[in-house]
Amino acid sequence: MQATIGVGLHCEGVANQWSPYCKEELMSGGEELSFEELRAERYNQNKQKEIEEKMRHLVEQKEQLSQELEKKRLLLLKKSQEVSDSNPPPAAAPFKILDESQCGSEESAGISEPSSNEVPDDVFLCPGEKGLCVKVQLPPRPGESRQRTQLTGQPGPTSEDIRTEQDSDPGAVCQKTVSKPKKELSPIQETSMEAGSLTSLGELSAVDPCDLEVHRQLLKLCDITSSQDLHSEQRPLPAVEEDSLLDLGGDIFFIHTRYLDRGSFSIFKGFKATAENECFYMKVDSCSVPWDFHLFNRLKKDSPSADRIPQISCFLFVDGCITIYTPPADHLFTDLADSNPDELCVGIKAISLLQLVLQLHSCSLLHAGLQPSILASCHRGLQDWLFPVDWSSSLDLVLQKDLTSVQQLLSAQTYISLGLLQPTDPPYTVDLVGVAETVYFLLTNDKMIPVKDGRGWTVEQYSGDGPCDIFTRTWRRFFRSLLNAGIGSSTSVLSELKDELSSLYL
């Protein structure tokens, strides 16, 4: 007699049989799912609910903050109106909209310090559908009335976006609103800091520290134009395609393959036709600011192993630039993403990555965009040195001293929304998460999924606490250390992990 398959079913003379499939799913004619698949589905649903709950909480916090700011604004506005009502001013002179060239200087505006019975200047910030609304209250000159100016523009205006200057007419105020790329710290933030206004993290749309114009202004503080490896070409950016030749500075470059394409830039691989077996990486960028060139030279200058770091040259064109990396003598280039998935090989690559980030942080550089696709290996025998071929998201904290937290970095916003990073964490922590993501990909060929347990953050595949070999225990400590660094020293975390992996894999 043939037994019916099922969980907990008994047939006379036949031993109990267990099915790995869900009986209800089979009987209902649905898709056959094993209990492990159903458990994974429930886990994913719970994780999705957890993420949605976090996002809902963030939205509620933002709304609450907006309501508090609006209440404070209305309270201050009410006090201002009470003062005005107690001393009715004469009719206000009309505003004039003048061209910037017709406006007087700020020194000639003649704005006097407010007396004790006057309302001081305030800047009120409130979120709007089309941007931030700024109300500036100007103190009256003797015999003149207080006038209010309201300007509404896009978030994060530049220093040229909002100006209030006085014309020859005593009651006239010159206003100008222009839409231009962000160049400096928003004057809204500058004024609010000076006036002691209430602001909060995320309430103002700050200038992106990786903005093209920010980089352009910062490079004016550096003497990179004197470098013999920076070449100026007074012509448009040449077309660069696979299987083609390119003449740059007297050298003929054979473009073999397009390694990476990110829209605003592409990275190619090939070799010099004028030098036997000399390979290169070439970044072709639509941006004419040599930011990559500056940061790579900073790294090389401050590195104790400069002889192992590739050489770099940059060609500036009127509408872009080409950055070329070539290896030292007898060194070869390989792609990090194409490395052997063997755990020993991954361990050695992880040590090289830790050494790279340790060196970056030691000389106050922040990459803020670490991932396997933009990392290459320069090696000779067992000597291995990793380097980035793209620095678009990177920061020079010697020049950008105002960057003090990950909240100011666009590349950290996803980590912050997940709760993996706190807004007040040091900016260096974004690179620690980048190291974790990169090494996890090398180990598993999959995207890292962070999970949280009673001891903090870790990664899904190494979240268990059961018995395991020394390699698994090492990787468990590796990911926990990187993802729970908090306000601790990044160089200490990186050094300890580098020593631990070196004792195991070298």
Side-chain angles (χ1 to χ4, degrees), residues 117-132:
N117 61 349
E118 292 175 337
V119 180
D121 290 352
D122 288 304
V123 178
F124 304 109
L125 306 179
C126 59
E129 294 181 355
K130 296 183 179 179
L132 292 175

Side-chain angles (χ1 to χ4, degrees), residues 436-452:
E437 285 193 311
T438 300
V439 174
Y440 187 86
F441 178 83
L442 296 178
L443 283 169
T444 65
N445 197 34
D446 202 358
K447 184 177 180 180
M448 183 182 80
I449 301 177
V451 295
K452 193 174 184 180

Side-chain angles (χ1 to χ4, degrees), residues 218-256:
L218 290 173
L219 289 183
K220 290 181 179 179
L221 306 175
C222 309
D223 186 25
I224 66 170
T225 56
S226 62
S227 173
Q228 62 180 1
D229 295 318
L230 184 66
H231 312 278
S232 181
E233 300 274 347
Q234 299 303 318
R235 59 187 175 110
L237 188 70
V240 182
E241 300 293 341
E242 293 179 318
D243 298 323
S244 65
L245 296 176
L246 182 63
D247 186 350
L248 291 174
D251 287 325
I252 306 299
F253 295 87
F254 174 68
I255 313 298
H256 185 253

Side-chain angles (χ1 to χ4, degrees), residues 83 87 114-119 146:
V83 173
N87 185 19
S115 60
S116 58
N117 61 349
E118 292 175 337
V119 180
R146 173 179 300 274

Side-chain angles (χ1 to χ4, degrees), residues 411-437:
S411 57
Q413 298 308 307
T414 300
Y415 305 141
I416 293 174
S417 66
L418 290 174
L420 186 59
L421 294 179
Q422 297 302 311
T424 54
D425 284 344
Y428 293 108
T429 52
V430 71
D431 274 352
L432 301 187
V433 180
V435 171
E437 285 193 311

Side-chain angles (χ1 to χ4, degrees), residues 115-366:
S115 60
S116 58
N117 61 349
E118 292 175 337
V119 180
D121 290 352
D122 288 304
V123 178
F124 304 109
L125 306 179
C126 59
E129 294 181 355
K130 296 183 179 179
L132 292 175
C133 172
V134 182
K135 292 186 177 180
V136 182
Q137 293 180 320
L138 302 177
R141 297 179 62 184
E144 296 174 1
S145 64
R146 173 179 300 274
Q147 304 186 27
R148 296 183 178 88
T149 302
Q150 178 170 326
L151 306 176
T152 304
Q154 295 300 319
T158 68
S159 59
E160 298 179 6
D161 288 340
I162 299 178
R163 298 184 181 178
T164 58
E165 300 177 341
Q166 186 174 15
D167 190 44
S168 55
D169 186 342
V173 176
C174 170
Q175 303 181 36
K176 183 168 183 178
T177 303
V178 224
S179 243
K180 288 190 178 181
K182 301 170 184 175
K183 297 181 181 179
E184 302 172 335
L185 182 66
S186 165
I188 298 180
Q189 292 174 294
E190 294 174 348
T191 310
S192 62
M193 290 171 62
E194 294 170 358
S197 298
L198 295 172
T199 58
S200 63
L201 289 175
E203 190 64 25
L204 292 176
S205 179
V207 176
D208 179 7
C210 299
D211 185 83
L212 168 63
E213 290 302 319
V214 172
H215 290 170
R216 193 187 305 276
Q217 296 301 321
L218 290 173
L219 289 183
K220 290 181 179 179
L221 306 175
C222 309
D223 186 25
I224 66 170
T225 56
S226 62
S227 173
Q228 62 180 1
D229 295 318
L230 184 66
H231 312 278
S232 181
E233 300 274 347
Q234 299 303 318
R235 59 187 175 110
L237 188 70
V240 182
E241 300 293 341
E242 293 179 318
D243 298 323
S244 65
L245 296 176
L246 182 63
D247 186 350
L248 291 174
D251 287 325
I252 306 299
F253 295 87
F254 174 68
I255 313 298
H256 185 253
T257 56
R258 184 190 300 265
Y259 172 62
L260 186 66
D261 192 352
R262 290 287 173 83
S264 62
F265 71 85
S266 295
I267 296 176
F268 297 87
K269 296 192 298 183
F271 60 87
K272 282 186 180 181
T274 52
E276 185 177 358
N277 295 329
E278 187 172 286
C279 55
F280 66 82
Y281 280 90
M282 176 183 291
K283 181 182 179 184
V284 181
D285 203 329
S286 59
C287 160
S288 59
V289 179
W291 187 246
D292 291 40
F293 180 78
H294 162 67
L295 294 180
F296 194 86
N297 277 327
R298 279 266 282 109
L299 174 64
K300 189 167 185 176
K301 179 181 178 181
D302 297 335
S303 175
S305 55
D307 59 324
R308 294 163 53 191
I309 300 180
Q311 300 169 350
I312 185 173
S313 57
C314 183
F315 294 84
L316 286 180
F317 297 87
V318 296
D319 57 348
C321 66
I322 294 179
T323 306
I324 301 173
Y325 301 90
T326 55
D330 301 326
H331 283 66
L332 298 175
F333 279 167
T334 55
D335 305 333
L336 181 67
D338 294 342
S339 63
N340 192 329
D342 176 77
E343 186 170 305
L344 174 61
C345 182
V346 173
I348 295 174
K349 295 294 183 185
I351 295 170
S352 299
L353 180 57
L354 291 169
Q355 176 60 38
L356 166 64
V357 181
L358 181 61
Q359 188 59 47
L360 285 169
H361 291 190
S362 298
C363 55
S364 299
L365 295 178
L366 183 66

